[in-house]
Amino acid sequence: MLSAFTARPIVELKQRDKSKIESLLAYGDRLLVGLNTGSLRIYRVNESISDSGPVATSETTPTQAATKPVELLREQEKFSRYKIEQLAIIKEVNILVSLSNGYVSIHDLQSYELLETLTKTKGAGAFAVTSNVVKDVSTGVPSIVSRLAVAVKRRLLLWSWHDSELSSETLELTLVTGIKTLTWATGTRLIAGLSSSYVLVDVESSNVTDIVGPGSIGGAPGQDGGRFGGVGVASMGYMGMGGMVPKPLVTRLSEGQLLLAKDINTLFIDTDGTSLGRRQIPWNVAPEAIGYSYPFLLALQATKGTLEVRNPETLTALQSIPLANANQLHVPQPYVSLAHAGKGFLVSSERCIWRMDALGYDAQIDALVERRRLDEAISLLGMLEDALLKDKEGRLRETKMLKAQDLFDQKKYRDSLDLFSDVSAPPERVIALYPKIIAGDPSPLESSQQSFNGSGTDDRQNDEAGSQSVGESSETPSTLGRPPLSDISRHELEGRDLDAATSELAGFLVGARTKLQRFLNSDGSLKDLALDNGGGTQKASIEDLLLPVRIGDDQGREQRLQNAAKLVDTTLFRAYMLARPSMAGPLFRLPNFCDADVVNEKLLETGRYNDLIDFFFGKRLHRQALDLLKRFGQEPEGGDAPSHLRGPQRTVAYLQNLSPEYTDLILEFAEWPVKTNPDLGMEIFVADTENAETLPRSRVLDFLQNIDQKLAVKYLEHIINELNDTTPDFHQRLIDIYLAGMKSPDLDDGQKKAEWKEKFLNFLRTSQHYESWKVIRQIPRDDPELYEARAIVLGIMGEHKQALEIYVFKLGNPQKAEDYCNQIYLTETSPSSSLARPRKRSTTDLEDGPPSIYHSLLSLYLSPPRPHEAQWGPAIEILAKHGSRLPASSTLNLIPEILPIQKLESYFRARIRSANTIVNEARIVASLRKSVDFEKEAMLHLGDETQGGHAGRNRSVVITEERVCGVCHKRFGGSAIKVLPE
């Protein structure tokens, strides 16, 4: 099903050439071929040669070679006397290592001349080389360490080079059975394939660890199956008729992983020899050789003459390439990293060498997606490096979305929606999978269907002749001619499937809402985060939420985001109404972009009026909500309106939540609740809420005054008494309403009128923000009900004598007159008053000071204007109570001669007490000052008697011979000393 590699023969031996290919080695642009005759042929690989070029032979001429895949440079005929079984290079040491006739030999890498035959390696069966950069533990200086490991029956021999210098020490280890294969796991750890098991050898510590695996991989540690131990089913033969033990195979995979294979059993391990717990590869035939060419796992099956290509993660067979009589697999190093990407590898038989050219990774991904092998495509994308693909993240995301669509088509709704969420799929694409009852009108999305269903097949390459795709059968139908998945789903989703899919969709849409809110404000405008036009992940994340821009679509990013948000919220509403109706209400209480027409129609249809009102409020469609509440609220009993919506309660609650910017709307719809239930309706304006307190008060007052004066009074009293509004106009208007009420015939009830009057008088006394000159003109002189009001206003204007005349002569109430004087006196003598007089310092002062307010009251009692008579009783009571506040000289002048002195006893007593109080107070103050002076003087003489505090005159300074002046730095000696305070 995948053409990842194409086999291209680059070397073929002619029929008359009796040689056989025994070993291969490719490095750089060189290809070394070891023959059974002991000759070594050196080829140069021409990378730029076309696929259709001729094949190099042993009789190639120089002219012909320029157009061939490889060019024979030379043949080292006497390289070895026997067949060359294995080749390797240690580039850092500039040597070529070979295995022939049971000996390991070292040759010069440039001339290929023999340098040394390692005699210790007699009987060698395999070897392995590695080179690594190692830092010295003590100095931290890096050096290149190369190692050569040789398997000689049960013995393991090890040579090492440090910075091209051969170490004099040779490590030798003996294992439990014969060693068949060697593979370096790391620079210091070696995997040895034994006859019956595998072991991990640490060449630094000489520790040998058994690797336990299934079947023929190896039994429990320490167990040895003997000659036939671990023989698998596929390789079992009749005893004595060719039965043989399969060769233990090892290959390195991606970083830190290795694959062990013996017979048909496999084991994935890490570099510590620990199993990774992965399942075995489903091989039916034991492979002859295994390898890893980034990023694929290779297996050469000599019995079938095929090369099998598998995904090392999913273990799925992706390609099977027939190669007649192939028996060797050679992958040039490094074969587990990006450095090897696209370089191909070699497969050989006894007579031919094939080079496996890799198809471009983008084309491989496209082929897998076209055949709907999406799991394999996702796995391959995850393994490949970013530099090998065009827009790897975008390809991986698109492939996962196609996989999610397949899962949705298979009715695996949770897995599908989870995968859509993981890749942040555009919500439009997911919604398009649902029928109209959920997705609404699909017409805006139909134009995007082409981008929903994968890539086309116009530019796909066909499989090469001779290659066979594995797994392509009736089980994997082609997507050519297949209708879009989303169209299929729209017609198939119904019943329980629709409910299940919709429930999962709700979770996906909630996540999409959260992502969109990162870039959109509640009013639909872009946040500063989204306005940044610079590239980067932020811009990419925005585009991930949107479908690709279609040709001719001139919508900006902001409009596209708004459309996406509207579609997401509206679809989420439909999903909730179908699957979880109780969740619709909480959705509306949050900022949302739901389509108002869709929500209105659906909620009215289902009778969910509360949710509809919440939605209108959230969308600021207040007129629609208030019209609905008014219609239901004014409907009489027995109508169709729900009982909880009848009456003005819901309308009042709704209006209370509106901000002052909707004042016109509030006043328009507040009229009917205020008229229906004034007490409840007034809560719109006098409730303890921020909205009520910030309404324009003048407009509210005009509105209420047009309905009822009493409502206006209630509102004015609220804003003045509770909100402390000091606007003079409001104070004046309240007084005007009070006065109008006093004159109104509506207040016939004595109790109500008394209460009204009491509130009026209290307001006149307490308010300081009305214009008294206006008020005094409005109050008639001859209205007995307003005498006291006039007196209060005159007092505020400073006309105390006129105010007292009203209290004394018109009201005839000495108590109120005295209370008035008390209030004025306290006001004038309070510390905050600018009229406050200082207390007299001595009783010997010649002047008593200016007359007080009591003097004015006393003069009205004793010397009243005509035709009023003197009032001795109240006058004597004033003298008795407030004698200390009445200056003696002016007061005695007012007292007529006919008044007996005995009547003035209480006055004189008060004056005497006042004088005594002044004297006593002066004495107390003088004594206190003496005490303070004494305390200060004692502190100056004796100090404050605290450690580290002020020492007073007891302070001492010690002068030694070494002490110097802190100013001039001279030694004191016998000089005069002056101590500074500090």
Side-chain angles (χ1 to χ4, degrees), residues 59-80:
E59 300 179 359
T60 302
T61 65
T63 304
Q64 294 172 331
T67 60
K68 296 177 181 179
V70 296
E71 176 185 355
L72 179 60
L73 299 180
R74 58 184 290 192
E75 181 173 353
Q76 192 81 3
E77 294 184 352
K78 296 183 180 181
F79 186 81
S80 175

Side-chain angles (χ1 to χ4, degrees), residues 359-367 384 388-391 395 460:
L359 182 67
Y361 292 120
D362 288 293
Q364 293 181 34
I365 299 299
D366 292 340
L384 291 173
L388 300 177
L389 295 168
K390 298 178 181 178
D391 187 19
R395 295 292 300 273
R460 302 288 183 265

Side-chain angles (χ1 to χ4, degrees), residues 615-690:
F615 171 73
F616 282 146
F617 183 84
K619 299 295 287 184
R620 299 187 179 183
L621 301 174
H622 303 304
R623 181 170 293 278
Q624 290 89 321
L626 290 169
D627 283 334
L628 183 66
L629 288 173
K630 183 177 181 180
R631 176 162 62 88
F632 288 149
Q634 292 181 335
E635 193 167 318
E637 293 290 338
D640 296 333
S643 58
H644 62 277
L645 293 180
R646 291 197 187 101
Q649 289 84 358
R650 284 300 303 273
T651 301
V652 170
Y654 193 97
L655 292 174
Q656 285 179 322
N657 290 314
L658 295 183
S659 60
E661 61 181 303
Y662 299 102
T663 301
D664 293 336
L665 201 64
I666 293 173
L667 298 181
E668 178 183 348
F669 285 92
E671 184 174 357
W672 78 269
V674 170
K675 290 181 177 179
T676 303
N677 190 337
D679 293 335
L680 179 62
M682 282 299 294
E683 290 297 315
I684 301 171
F685 309 109
V686 300
D688 187 15
T689 62
E690 183 179 357

Side-chain angles (χ1 to χ4, degrees), residues 406-421:
D406 277 0
L407 291 173
F408 192 93
D409 197 36
Q410 298 166 17
K411 299 184 179 180
K412 298 178 180 179
Y413 304 118
R414 172 166 294 183
D415 295 338
S416 172
L417 272 298
D418 287 346
L419 187 53
F420 274 128
S421 297

Side-chain angles (χ1 to χ4, degrees), residues 137-162:
V137 178
S138 59
T139 64
V141 177
S143 62
I144 298 178
V145 178
S146 302
R147 290 185 172 93
L148 168 64
V150 181
V152 183
K153 298 181 181 178
R154 293 174 54 191
R155 293 184 300 142
L156 175 64
L157 305 178
L158 183 71
W159 285 265
S160 61
W161 287 262
H162 294 265

Side-chain angles (χ1 to χ4, degrees), residues 406-646:
D406 277 0
L407 291 173
F408 192 93
D409 197 36
Q410 298 166 17
K411 299 184 179 180
K412 298 178 180 179
Y413 304 118
R414 172 166 294 183
D415 295 338
S416 172
L417 272 298
D418 287 346
L419 187 53
F420 274 128
S421 297
D422 291 342
V423 299
S424 298
E428 294 96 324
R429 182 167 183 168
V430 180
I431 294 171
L433 300 173
Y434 286 78
K436 186 175 181 180
I437 189 175
I438 298 298
D441 187 5
S443 58
L445 304 173
E446 288 176 349
S447 59
S448 302
Q449 278 300 334
Q450 185 176 0
S451 65
F452 286 1
N453 296 281
S455 306
T457 59
D458 297 339
D459 56 350
R460 302 288 183 265
Q461 298 183 4
N462 296 323
D463 293 347
E464 293 291 335
S467 66
Q468 176 184 358
S469 297
V470 178
E472 184 173 326
S473 63
S474 58
E475 296 178 0
T476 310
S478 173
T479 58
L480 299 177
R482 177 181 178 181
L485 286 174
S486 56
D487 289 347
I488 295 175
S489 300
R490 280 182 179 275
H491 295 89
E492 290 182 352
L493 279 179
E494 57 184 3
R496 292 184 177 179
D497 288 339
L498 179 59
D499 293 340
T502 303
S503 296
E504 300 301 331
L505 176 65
F508 169 80
L509 293 177
V510 169
R513 288 188 79 245
T514 303
K515 295 173 184 176
L516 287 168
Q517 287 171 357
R518 293 173 54 198
F519 310 108
L520 282 178
N521 293 309
S522 58
D523 59 355
S525 61
L526 284 177
K527 292 183 177 179
D528 295 338
L529 192 68
L531 290 174
D532 182 13
N533 292 324
T537 57
Q538 197 63 55
K539 182 178 180 181
S541 59
I542 294 178
E543 297 301 328
D544 288 347
L545 296 171
L546 305 172
L547 287 176
V549 180
R550 298 186 293 272
I551 298 176
D553 190 351
D554 57 353
Q555 290 184 342
R557 182 189 298 174
E558 180 175 357
Q559 183 61 42
R560 293 168 64 204
L561 280 172
Q562 290 174 356
N563 292 341
K566 183 176 181 180
L567 178 63
V568 167
D569 285 354
T570 305
T571 307
L572 181 59
F573 162 71
R574 291 193 182 102
Y576 279 155
M577 291 302 296
L578 178 67
R580 290 177 280 180
S582 61
M583 295 298 295
L587 173 63
F588 300 146
R589 298 183 188 102
L590 299 173
N592 63 83
F593 296 91
C594 292
D595 189 319
D597 295 335
V598 173
V599 175
N600 188 25
E601 177 184 356
K602 192 69 176 178
L603 292 182
L604 285 176
E605 177 185 337
T606 57
R608 301 180 67 88
Y609 302 114
N610 284 333
D611 290 341
L612 180 57
I613 292 169
D614 290 338
F615 171 73
F616 282 146
F617 183 84
K619 299 295 287 184
R620 299 187 179 183
L621 301 174
H622 303 304
R623 181 170 293 278
Q624 290 89 321
L626 290 169
D627 283 334
L628 183 66
L629 288 173
K630 183 177 181 180
R631 176 162 62 88
F632 288 149
Q634 292 181 335
E635 193 167 318
E637 293 290 338
D640 296 333
S643 58
H644 62 277
L645 293 180
R646 291 197 187 101

Side-chain angles (χ1 to χ4, degrees), residues 128 130 181-193 198-201 211-214 217 248-262 265-281 283 290-292 296-298 312-313 315 333 335-336:
T130 184
T181 59
L182 292 174
T183 304
W184 286 100
T186 65
T188 59
R189 294 182 179 182
L190 192 68
I191 301 291
Y198 291 87
V199 294
L200 176 66
V201 181
I211 299 175
V212 180
I217 295 295
L249 305 176
V250 183
T251 184
R252 291 174 61 186
L253 301 177
S254 58
E255 190 65 28
Q257 296 185 22
L258 297 97
L259 172 64
L260 312 183
K262 190 174 184 181
N265 298 308
T266 59
L267 177 67
F268 290 91
I269 64 172
D270 59 16
T271 55
D272 295 326
T274 305
S275 173
L276 298 178
R278 297 179 57 184
R279 66 185 181 91
Q280 297 193 49
I281 300 175
W283 280 325
I290 60 175
Y292 179 78
F296 297 107
L297 175 63
L298 311 173
E313 287 189 350
L315 307 182
Q333 293 184 349
Y335 50 89
V336 294

Side-chain angles (χ1 to χ4, degrees), residues 41-59:
R41 291 179 182 174
I42 300 96
Y43 295 89
R44 180 173 63 195
V45 180
N46 299 316
E47 296 287 350
S48 60
I49 198 68
S50 63
D51 293 350
S52 59
V55 181
T57 66
S58 59
E59 300 179 359

